[in-house]
Amino acid sequence: MPRLARLTPDTAVGTSRDLLAELTSRHGRTGDMVATMAHSPAVLSGYLQLSRAMGRAKLDRRISERVSIAVQTLQGCALCLDAHVDAARARGVDEEEIDRAREGTSADPAIAAIITLALQVYRQPTSITDEQIAALREFGHSDRAIADVVGIVALNVLTGAFNLVAGLTPGSDSGA
């Protein structure tokens, strides 16, 4: 059961009202997470900006979805995990790779290395070494792709933590 109320353009105030009205006019509706984030204009605006920015990430979406699956498996946000699994499937990631992502790995060593980096960013960024970054480059990952992983993890931490605090679960969301 949600812990925080869902807001609408009619019930939100100030910047949140304006953001929700804009999103509703563009998309027809807002999902529970976005509508609930509207309690904090700073959180809602920050989420929207980071989400848009990460939409321009260099990292292939089939890889970034696996990164998100790995992070959300650890974080425990079922709503986010379901969304990222669905997105991975839509991009052609097979079930074995989705299962591997849940385990924090991949059959492809280059993807496994980027997932490992993401999980270290999530758990303990101080453990990342120069050698690890060099190995990522040897796999063909650019500095931009490596940096994008940090953004992907940050976006997942924000959305997952928010959903967990707000009590949003699968079935309660009516779209993002």
Side-chain angles (χ1 to χ4, degrees), residues 112-165:
I114 210 86
I115 291 171
T116 296
L117 172 70
L119 293 176
Q120 283 179 267
V121 169
Y122 177 77
R123 288 180 176 140
Q124 190 176 20
T126 58
S127 69
I128 297 165
T129 65
D130 293 343
E131 294 78 20
Q132 183 178 6
I133 299 300
L136 287 165
R137 289 184 185 122
E138 288 176 22
F139 279 123
H141 296 296
S142 67
D143 287 0
R144 180 175 174 181
I146 294 167
D148 283 344
V149 169
V150 178
I152 293 164
V153 172
L155 183 57
N156 274 282
V157 168
L158 172 61
T159 58
F162 186 85
N163 287 335
L164 291 167
V165 168

Short mmCIF file of all heavy atoms in Angstrom, two decimals, residues 112-165:
data_model
loop_
_atom_site.label_atom_id
_atom_site.label_comp_id
_atom_site.label_asym_id
_atom_site.label_seq_id
_atom_site.Cartn_x
_atom_site.Cartn_y
_atom_site.Cartn_z
N ALA A 112 29.82 -8.26 -18.39
CA ALA A 112 30.01 -8.66 -16.99
C ALA A 112 30.90 -7.64 -16.27
O ALA A 112 30.62 -7.28 -15.11
CB ALA A 112 30.63 -10.05 -16.91
N ALA A 113 31.93 -7.14 -16.95
CA ALA A 113 32.83 -6.16 -16.33
C ALA A 113 32.11 -4.85 -16.04
O ALA A 113 32.34 -4.23 -14.99
CB ALA A 113 34.04 -5.93 -17.24
N ILE A 114 31.23 -4.42 -16.95
CA ILE A 114 30.52 -3.16 -16.74
C ILE A 114 29.47 -3.32 -15.64
O ILE A 114 29.25 -2.41 -14.84
CB ILE A 114 29.94 -2.61 -18.06
CG1 ILE A 114 29.88 -1.08 -18.02
CG2 ILE A 114 28.60 -3.14 -18.39
CD1 ILE A 114 31.10 -0.38 -18.44
N ILE A 115 28.85 -4.51 -15.54
CA ILE A 115 27.90 -4.77 -14.45
C ILE A 115 28.65 -4.80 -13.11
O ILE A 115 28.17 -4.24 -12.12
CB ILE A 115 27.12 -6.07 -14.69
CG1 ILE A 115 26.16 -5.91 -15.88
CG2 ILE A 115 26.35 -6.49 -13.43
CD1 ILE A 115 25.50 -7.20 -16.33
N THR A 116 29.81 -5.41 -13.10
CA THR A 116 30.63 -5.43 -11.87
C THR A 116 30.96 -4.01 -11.43
O THR A 116 30.86 -3.68 -10.24
CB THR A 116 31.92 -6.24 -12.10
OG1 THR A 116 31.55 -7.60 -12.36
CG2 THR A 116 32.85 -6.18 -10.90
N LEU A 117 31.35 -3.17 -12.38
CA LEU A 117 31.62 -1.77 -12.05
C LEU A 117 30.38 -1.11 -11.43
O LEU A 117 30.48 -0.45 -10.40
CB LEU A 117 32.05 -0.99 -13.30
CG LEU A 117 32.18 0.52 -13.10
CD1 LEU A 117 33.38 0.84 -12.22
CD2 LEU A 117 32.28 1.23 -14.44
N ALA A 118 29.25 -1.31 -12.06
CA ALA A 118 28.01 -0.70 -11.55
C ALA A 118 27.71 -1.14 -10.13
O ALA A 118 27.33 -0.32 -9.28
CB ALA A 118 26.85 -1.04 -12.48
N LEU A 119 27.87 -2.42 -9.86
CA LEU A 119 27.59 -2.92 -8.52
C LEU A 119 28.59 -2.37 -7.50
O LEU A 119 28.24 -2.13 -6.34
CB LEU A 119 27.55 -4.44 -8.51
CG LEU A 119 26.38 -5.03 -9.31
CD1 LEU A 119 26.47 -6.55 -9.35
CD2 LEU A 119 25.04 -4.57 -8.77
N GLN A 120 29.83 -2.15 -7.94
CA GLN A 120 30.80 -1.53 -7.04
C GLN A 120 30.46 -0.07 -6.79
O GLN A 120 30.63 0.43 -5.68
CB GLN A 120 32.22 -1.65 -7.61
CG GLN A 120 32.81 -3.03 -7.44
CD GLN A 120 34.19 -3.09 -8.04
OE1 GLN A 120 34.33 -3.47 -9.21
NE2 GLN A 120 35.19 -2.72 -7.26
N VAL A 121 30.00 0.64 -7.83
CA VAL A 121 29.56 2.03 -7.65
C VAL A 121 28.42 2.05 -6.63
O VAL A 121 28.38 2.91 -5.76
CB VAL A 121 29.13 2.66 -8.99
CG1 VAL A 121 28.42 3.99 -8.78
CG2 VAL A 121 30.33 2.84 -9.92
N TYR A 122 27.52 1.09 -6.72
CA TYR A 122 26.38 1.01 -5.80
C TYR A 122 26.84 0.67 -4.38
O TYR A 122 26.42 1.31 -3.43
CB TYR A 122 25.39 -0.04 -6.31
CG TYR A 122 24.21 -0.24 -5.41
CD1 TYR A 122 23.16 0.68 -5.38
CD2 TYR A 122 24.13 -1.34 -4.57
CE1 TYR A 122 22.07 0.50 -4.54
CE2 TYR A 122 23.05 -1.54 -3.73
CZ TYR A 122 22.02 -0.62 -3.72
OH TYR A 122 20.96 -0.79 -2.88
N ARG A 123 27.67 -0.35 -4.26
CA ARG A 123 28.04 -0.87 -2.93
C ARG A 123 29.21 -0.13 -2.29
O ARG A 123 29.17 0.19 -1.10
CB ARG A 123 28.45 -2.33 -3.05
CG ARG A 123 27.37 -3.29 -3.32
CD ARG A 123 27.99 -4.68 -3.39
NE ARG A 123 27.00 -5.71 -3.57
CZ ARG A 123 27.17 -6.76 -4.37
NH1 ARG A 123 28.28 -6.92 -5.04
NH2 ARG A 123 26.22 -7.65 -4.47
N GLN A 124 30.29 0.03 -3.05
CA GLN A 124 31.52 0.54 -2.46
C GLN A 124 32.42 1.16 -3.54
O GLN A 124 33.37 0.53 -4.00
CB GLN A 124 32.26 -0.58 -1.75
CG GLN A 124 33.40 -0.10 -0.91
CD GLN A 124 34.04 -1.23 -0.14
OE1 GLN A 124 33.91 -2.40 -0.48
NE2 GLN A 124 34.78 -0.88 0.90
N PRO A 125 32.12 2.39 -3.93
CA PRO A 125 32.90 3.01 -5.01
C PRO A 125 34.38 3.16 -4.68
O PRO A 125 35.20 3.23 -5.61
CB PRO A 125 32.21 4.36 -5.22
CG PRO A 125 31.30 4.56 -4.07
CD PRO A 125 31.03 3.24 -3.44
N THR A 126 34.74 3.15 -3.41
CA THR A 126 36.16 3.26 -3.07
C THR A 126 36.95 2.02 -3.45
O THR A 126 38.18 2.05 -3.47
CB THR A 126 36.35 3.53 -1.55
OG1 THR A 126 35.75 2.46 -0.82
CG2 THR A 126 35.76 4.86 -1.15
N SER A 127 36.27 0.94 -3.77
CA SER A 127 36.96 -0.30 -4.12
C SER A 127 37.36 -0.37 -5.60
O SER A 127 38.06 -1.29 -6.01
CB SER A 127 36.08 -1.51 -3.79
OG SER A 127 34.96 -1.58 -4.65
N ILE A 128 36.94 0.60 -6.40
CA ILE A 128 37.25 0.60 -7.84
C ILE A 128 38.72 0.97 -8.03
O ILE A 128 39.22 1.92 -7.43
CB ILE A 128 36.31 1.57 -8.58
CG1 ILE A 128 34.87 1.07 -8.43
CG2 ILE A 128 36.70 1.69 -10.05
CD1 ILE A 128 33.81 2.07 -8.79
N THR A 129 39.39 0.19 -8.87
CA THR A 129 40.84 0.38 -9.06
C THR A 129 41.18 0.91 -10.45
O THR A 129 40.38 0.81 -11.39
CB THR A 129 41.57 -0.96 -8.88
OG1 THR A 129 41.17 -1.84 -9.94
CG2 THR A 129 41.28 -1.59 -7.52
N ASP A 130 42.38 1.45 -10.57
CA ASP A 130 42.88 1.89 -11.87
C ASP A 130 42.94 0.73 -12.85
O ASP A 130 42.60 0.88 -14.03
CB ASP A 130 44.29 2.49 -11.73
CG ASP A 130 44.31 3.79 -10.93
OD1 ASP A 130 43.24 4.40 -10.75
OD2 ASP A 130 45.41 4.18 -10.49
N GLU A 131 43.32 -0.43 -12.36
CA GLU A 131 43.42 -1.62 -13.21
C GLU A 131 42.04 -2.02 -13.74
O GLU A 131 41.89 -2.45 -14.88
CB GLU A 131 44.06 -2.79 -12.44
CG GLU A 131 45.51 -2.57 -12.06
CD GLU A 131 45.69 -1.66 -10.83
OE1 GLU A 131 44.74 -1.48 -10.04
OE2 GLU A 131 46.81 -1.12 -10.69
N GLN A 132 41.04 -1.88 -12.90
CA GLN A 132 39.68 -2.22 -13.32
C GLN A 132 39.21 -1.28 -14.45
O GLN A 132 38.62 -1.73 -15.43
CB GLN A 132 38.73 -2.11 -12.12
CG GLN A 132 37.31 -2.51 -12.42
CD GLN A 132 36.44 -2.43 -11.18
OE1 GLN A 132 36.87 -1.97 -10.12
NE2 GLN A 132 35.22 -2.88 -11.30
N ILE A 133 39.47 0.00 -14.32
CA ILE A 133 39.10 0.95 -15.36
C ILE A 133 39.89 0.67 -16.63
O ILE A 133 39.32 0.69 -17.74
CB ILE A 133 39.32 2.41 -14.88
CG1 ILE A 133 38.44 2.70 -13.65
CG2 ILE A 133 39.05 3.40 -16.01
CD1 ILE A 133 36.94 2.56 -13.85
N ALA A 134 41.16 0.34 -16.50
CA ALA A 134 41.97 -0.02 -17.68
C ALA A 134 41.40 -1.26 -18.37
O ALA A 134 41.34 -1.32 -19.61
CB ALA A 134 43.43 -0.25 -17.28
N ALA A 135 40.96 -2.24 -17.59
CA ALA A 135 40.37 -3.45 -18.17
C ALA A 135 39.08 -3.13 -18.91
O ALA A 135 38.81 -3.70 -19.98
CB ALA A 135 40.13 -4.49 -17.08
N LEU A 136 38.28 -2.22 -18.38
CA LEU A 136 37.06 -1.81 -19.08
C LEU A 136 37.40 -1.19 -20.43
O LEU A 136 36.73 -1.46 -21.43
CB LEU A 136 36.26 -0.83 -18.22
CG LEU A 136 35.56 -1.44 -17.01
CD1 LEU A 136 35.10 -0.37 -16.04
CD2 LEU A 136 34.38 -2.30 -17.46
N ARG A 137 38.43 -0.37 -20.46
CA ARG A 137 38.87 0.23 -21.73
C ARG A 137 39.34 -0.85 -22.70
O ARG A 137 39.08 -0.76 -23.90
CB ARG A 137 39.96 1.25 -21.47
CG ARG A 137 39.47 2.51 -20.80
CD ARG A 137 40.58 3.53 -20.67
NE ARG A 137 40.12 4.67 -19.92
CZ ARG A 137 40.68 5.11 -18.81
NH1 ARG A 137 41.75 4.51 -18.30
NH2 ARG A 137 40.21 6.16 -18.20
N GLU A 138 40.04 -1.86 -22.19
CA GLU A 138 40.50 -2.96 -23.05
C GLU A 138 39.33 -3.73 -23.65
O GLU A 138 39.43 -4.26 -24.75
CB GLU A 138 41.42 -3.91 -22.27
CG GLU A 138 42.79 -3.30 -21.99
CD GLU A 138 43.67 -4.19 -21.14
OE1 GLU A 138 43.43 -5.42 -21.10
OE2 GLU A 138 44.59 -3.65 -20.50
N PHE A 139 38.21 -3.78 -22.93
CA PHE A 139 37.00 -4.41 -23.47
C PHE A 139 36.32 -3.51 -24.50
O PHE A 139 35.34 -3.92 -25.12
CB PHE A 139 36.00 -4.72 -22.35
CG PHE A 139 36.30 -5.97 -21.59
CD1 PHE A 139 36.47 -5.93 -20.22
CD2 PHE A 139 36.38 -7.20 -22.23
CE1 PHE A 139 36.71 -7.09 -19.50
CE2 PHE A 139 36.63 -8.36 -21.52
CZ PHE A 139 36.79 -8.31 -20.15
N GLY A 140 36.80 -2.29 -24.65
CA GLY A 140 36.22 -1.38 -25.63
C GLY A 140 35.26 -0.35 -25.06
O GLY A 140 34.64 0.40 -25.80
N HIS A 141 35.14 -0.30 -23.74
CA HIS A 141 34.27 0.69 -23.12
C HIS A 141 34.99 2.04 -23.09
O HIS A 141 36.10 2.15 -22.61
CB HIS A 141 33.88 0.27 -21.71
CG HIS A 141 33.07 -0.99 -21.66
ND1 HIS A 141 31.80 -1.08 -22.21
CD2 HIS A 141 33.34 -2.20 -21.13
CE1 HIS A 141 31.34 -2.30 -22.01
NE2 HIS A 141 32.24 -3.01 -21.36
N SER A 142 34.31 3.06 -23.60
CA SER A 142 34.88 4.41 -23.61
C SER A 142 34.77 5.04 -22.23
O SER A 142 34.00 4.57 -21.37
CB SER A 142 34.12 5.28 -24.62
OG SER A 142 32.79 5.49 -24.17
N ASP A 143 35.50 6.12 -22.04
CA ASP A 143 35.39 6.85 -20.78
C ASP A 143 33.95 7.35 -20.59
O ASP A 143 33.44 7.37 -19.48
CB ASP A 143 36.37 8.02 -20.74
CG ASP A 143 37.81 7.56 -20.56
OD1 ASP A 143 38.07 6.34 -20.45
OD2 ASP A 143 38.70 8.43 -20.54
N ARG A 144 33.31 7.76 -21.69
CA ARG A 144 31.93 8.22 -21.60
C ARG A 144 31.02 7.10 -21.12
O ARG A 144 30.17 7.30 -20.24
CB ARG A 144 31.45 8.75 -22.94
CG ARG A 144 30.01 9.23 -22.88
CD ARG A 144 29.56 9.85 -24.17
NE ARG A 144 28.15 10.18 -24.09
CZ ARG A 144 27.47 10.71 -25.06
NH1 ARG A 144 28.06 10.99 -26.21
NH2 ARG A 144 26.19 10.97 -24.92
N ALA A 145 31.17 5.90 -21.66
CA ALA A 145 30.34 4.76 -21.24
C ALA A 145 30.58 4.44 -19.76
O ALA A 145 29.64 4.14 -19.02
CB ALA A 145 30.61 3.55 -22.12
N ILE A 146 31.84 4.50 -19.35
CA ILE A 146 32.17 4.24 -17.94
C ILE A 146 31.51 5.29 -17.05
O ILE A 146 30.91 4.96 -16.02
CB ILE A 146 33.71 4.19 -17.75
CG1 ILE A 146 34.29 2.97 -18.49
CG2 ILE A 146 34.07 4.18 -16.27
CD1 ILE A 146 35.80 2.99 -18.64
N ALA A 147 31.59 6.55 -17.46
CA ALA A 147 30.95 7.62 -16.69
C ALA A 147 29.43 7.45 -16.68
O ALA A 147 28.77 7.70 -15.66
CB ALA A 147 31.33 8.98 -17.27
N ASP A 148 28.87 7.02 -17.82
CA ASP A 148 27.42 6.80 -17.89
C ASP A 148 26.95 5.77 -16.87
O ASP A 148 25.84 5.87 -16.35
CB ASP A 148 27.01 6.35 -19.29
CG ASP A 148 26.97 7.48 -20.31
OD1 ASP A 148 26.97 8.66 -19.91
OD2 ASP A 148 26.93 7.16 -21.52
N VAL A 149 27.79 4.78 -16.58
CA VAL A 149 27.42 3.76 -15.59
C VAL A 149 27.13 4.42 -14.24
O VAL A 149 26.17 4.06 -13.56
CB VAL A 149 28.52 2.68 -15.46
CG1 VAL A 149 28.27 1.79 -14.25
CG2 VAL A 149 28.58 1.85 -16.73
N VAL A 150 27.93 5.41 -13.87
CA VAL A 150 27.70 6.11 -12.60
C VAL A 150 26.33 6.79 -12.62
O VAL A 150 25.57 6.71 -11.65
CB VAL A 150 28.82 7.11 -12.31
CG1 VAL A 150 28.56 7.87 -11.01
CG2 VAL A 150 30.17 6.41 -12.24
N GLY A 151 25.99 7.42 -13.74
CA GLY A 151 24.68 8.06 -13.86
C GLY A 151 23.54 7.06 -13.82
O GLY A 151 22.50 7.32 -13.19
N ILE A 152 23.71 5.92 -14.46
CA ILE A 152 22.68 4.88 -14.45
C ILE A 152 22.46 4.38 -13.03
O ILE A 152 21.32 4.21 -12.58
CB ILE A 152 23.04 3.73 -15.40
CG1 ILE A 152 23.00 4.23 -16.85
CG2 ILE A 152 22.12 2.53 -15.21
CD1 ILE A 152 23.71 3.32 -17.84
N VAL A 153 23.55 4.15 -12.31
CA VAL A 153 23.42 3.70 -10.92
C VAL A 153 22.73 4.78 -10.08
O VAL A 153 21.81 4.47 -9.31
CB VAL A 153 24.80 3.32 -10.33
CG1 VAL A 153 24.69 3.04 -8.82
CG2 VAL A 153 25.38 2.12 -11.06
N ALA A 154 23.13 6.03 -10.25
CA ALA A 154 22.52 7.12 -9.48
C ALA A 154 21.02 7.21 -9.75
O ALA A 154 20.22 7.37 -8.81
CB ALA A 154 23.20 8.45 -9.82
N LEU A 155 20.62 7.10 -11.00
CA LEU A 155 19.20 7.15 -11.34
C LEU A 155 18.45 5.98 -10.71
O LEU A 155 17.35 6.15 -10.17
CB LEU A 155 19.03 7.15 -12.86
CG LEU A 155 17.60 7.29 -13.39
CD1 LEU A 155 16.93 8.56 -12.88
CD2 LEU A 155 17.61 7.26 -14.91
N ASN A 156 19.05 4.80 -10.72
CA ASN A 156 18.43 3.63 -10.10
C ASN A 156 18.33 3.76 -8.59
O ASN A 156 17.33 3.35 -7.99
CB ASN A 156 19.19 2.36 -10.48
CG ASN A 156 18.73 1.80 -11.79
OD1 ASN A 156 17.69 1.16 -11.86
ND2 ASN A 156 19.47 2.05 -12.85
N VAL A 157 19.35 4.32 -7.97
CA VAL A 157 19.29 4.53 -6.52
C VAL A 157 18.15 5.49 -6.19
O VAL A 157 17.35 5.23 -5.28
CB VAL A 157 20.64 5.03 -5.96
CG1 VAL A 157 20.50 5.51 -4.52
CG2 VAL A 157 21.69 3.93 -6.06
N LEU A 158 18.04 6.57 -6.94
CA LEU A 158 16.98 7.56 -6.70
C LEU A 158 15.60 6.93 -6.87
O LEU A 158 14.76 7.01 -5.97
CB LEU A 158 17.14 8.75 -7.64
CG LEU A 158 15.99 9.77 -7.62
CD1 LEU A 158 15.84 10.39 -6.24
CD2 LEU A 158 16.21 10.83 -8.68
N THR A 159 15.36 6.29 -8.00
CA THR A 159 14.02 5.76 -8.26
C THR A 159 13.69 4.60 -7.32
O THR A 159 12.58 4.54 -6.78
CB THR A 159 13.84 5.33 -9.73
OG1 THR A 159 14.83 4.35 -10.06
CG2 THR A 159 13.96 6.53 -10.66
N GLY A 160 14.63 3.70 -7.14
CA GLY A 160 14.37 2.55 -6.27
C GLY A 160 14.13 2.97 -4.83
O GLY A 160 13.18 2.51 -4.19
N ALA A 161 14.99 3.82 -4.31
CA ALA A 161 14.83 4.28 -2.93
C ALA A 161 13.53 5.04 -2.77
O ALA A 161 12.80 4.85 -1.78
CB ALA A 161 16.03 5.13 -2.51
N PHE A 162 13.22 5.89 -3.73
CA PHE A 162 11.96 6.64 -3.63
C PHE A 162 10.77 5.69 -3.60
O PHE A 162 9.88 5.82 -2.74
CB PHE A 162 11.80 7.64 -4.78
CG PHE A 162 10.58 8.48 -4.59
CD1 PHE A 162 10.63 9.62 -3.81
CD2 PHE A 162 9.36 8.09 -5.12
CE1 PHE A 162 9.48 10.36 -3.57
CE2 PHE A 162 8.21 8.82 -4.89
CZ PHE A 162 8.27 9.97 -4.11
N ASN A 163 10.73 4.74 -4.52
CA ASN A 163 9.60 3.81 -4.56
C ASN A 163 9.48 3.01 -3.28
O ASN A 163 8.38 2.76 -2.79
CB ASN A 163 9.73 2.87 -5.76
CG ASN A 163 9.45 3.57 -7.07
OD1 ASN A 163 8.75 4.58 -7.12
ND2 ASN A 163 10.00 3.04 -8.13
N LEU A 164 10.62 2.59 -2.72
CA LEU A 164 10.59 1.82 -1.48
C LEU A 164 10.07 2.67 -0.32
O LEU A 164 9.24 2.20 0.47
CB LEU A 164 11.98 1.25 -1.18
CG LEU A 164 12.42 0.15 -2.15
CD1 LEU A 164 13.91 -0.13 -1.98
CD2 LEU A 164 11.60 -1.11 -1.97
N VAL A 165 10.53 3.90 -0.22
CA VAL A 165 10.05 4.79 0.85
C VAL A 165 8.56 5.11 0.67
O VAL A 165 7.78 5.09 1.62
CB VAL A 165 10.88 6.09 0.90
CG1 VAL A 165 10.24 7.14 1.80
CG2 VAL A 165 12.30 5.80 1.37
#
